[in-house]
Amino acid sequence: MRGVFISLEGAEGCGKSTQSALLADFLRVKGLEVVTTREPGGTPTGEMIRDILQHHASGEDIAPGAEVLLFAASRAQHVAHVIRPALERGDWVVCDRFVDSSLAYQGGARGLGIDTVLAANEIALDGVWPDVTFWLDLPLDAALGRVVARGAHPDRFESEETAFHQRVHDAYAALAVRFPERIVRLNAAAAPEAVFAELLEGLEPNLETEG
Ligand code: TYD
């Protein structure tokens, strides 16, 4: 039987990695095989692409089209080498960011358009869509506050202006309307345990199938 593919999405600082860790632990305690992974990255080649995208060593501007295709290239490798094989083994896959990040950041915030970015990702996805996507929805102020509190050196995306992050948020909201059967919105402003309880409610149908 094919495994279950879960992706987690949202702005920087929304708590995706905390929820991903809680979910993986929960599933493992139930005796399920779980693969946790992330984008950009998830494979050695993908990590190299992540480095190009985030640290921008050449000093040259990356054109929006190049950006979307680099993310898609990383995703193609990730689907072929990690996600599809795991699902074929019957494992659960918990992925921190997936195609909706490209749809929200490149499609929405960078203005390429969601349909264009969807088309650019067809080769990468090769028909592999998440069964359920949790969108950790955090008001913009709270998200930016959390990123600053982390104190990390901002990468290329984190140093974007507020309007960019607002467009990312708006695009996620539009995606939740467009894909209501797949995307579950969570109130990420709540405490981590409360967010996780809401996540588990959203996962109920998939857990029932598992038996
Ligand atoms: P990362 O350090 O992984 O951020 P986070 O901890 O928030 O996940 O950086 C990933 C950045 O890349 C993040 O700003 C979102 C962006 N991104 C895209 O623009 N498009 C994509 O397809 C993906 C996967 C990420």
Side-chain angles (χ1 to χ4, degrees):
M1 197 182 80
R2 180 188 182 276
V4 177
F5 181 14
I6 300 164
S7 62
L8 297 162
E9 293 283 354
E12 289 81 359
C14 70
K16 282 186 282 69
S17 41
T18 304
Q19 295 302 319
S20 159
L22 288 171
L23 177 57
D25 284 350
F26 173 88
L27 296 171
R28 288 190 180 116
V29 166
K30 288 177 82 67
L32 298 164
E33 287 297 329
V34 184
V35 172
T36 54
T37 186
R38 69 161 186 190
E39 288 198 353
T43 64
T45 303
E47 290 297 334
M48 292 170 87
I49 296 173
R50 177 192 179 95
D51 210 52
I52 296 175
L53 283 161
Q54 293 193 333
H55 301 295
H56 205 27
S58 73
E60 181 191 29
D61 274 355
I62 299 181
E67 182 178 278
V68 83
L69 292 170
L70 283 167
F71 279 116
S74 167
R75 184 161 301 125
Q77 187 75 1
H78 195 202
V79 167
H81 284 205
V82 176
I83 299 175
R84 187 193 294 283
L87 294 173
E88 284 175 354
R89 287 195 302 272
D91 294 357
W92 285 57
V93 175
V94 177
C95 189
D96 186 335
R97 296 196 182 281
F98 192 62
V99 68
D100 297 291
S101 284
S102 281
L103 300 177
Y105 284 78
Q106 283 67 52
R110 294 247 189 264
L112 288 175
I114 287 177
D115 289 307
T116 303
V117 175
L118 205 48
N121 272 274
E122 258 169 40
I123 295 176
L125 296 184
D126 198 18
V128 176
W129 279 89
D131 296 286
V132 51
T133 297
F134 293 105
W135 168 37
L136 283 89
D137 182 12
L138 189 64
L140 203 55
D141 291 352
L144 294 178
R146 284 188 195 178
V147 169
V148 171
R150 261 190 218 163
H153 182 69
D155 66 19
R156 206 165 65 85
F157 286 89
E158 284 167 354
S159 49
E160 291 285 353
E161 79 228 24
T162 310
F164 177 86
H165 294 288
Q166 185 62 53
R167 292 197 295 275
V168 169
H169 182 273
D170 294 348
Y172 275 126
L175 289 168
V177 170
R178 178 161 171 173
F179 299 109
E181 68 296 337
R182 175 174 64 85
I183 301 183
V184 177
R185 177 195 170 275
L186 303 178
N187 172 19
E193 313 77 59
V195 177
F196 189 57
E198 207 187 347
L199 184 154
L200 286 185
E201 267 177 47
L203 202 59
E204 205 59 50
N206 305 83
L207 289 167
E208 277 165 15
T209 321
E210 195 63 28

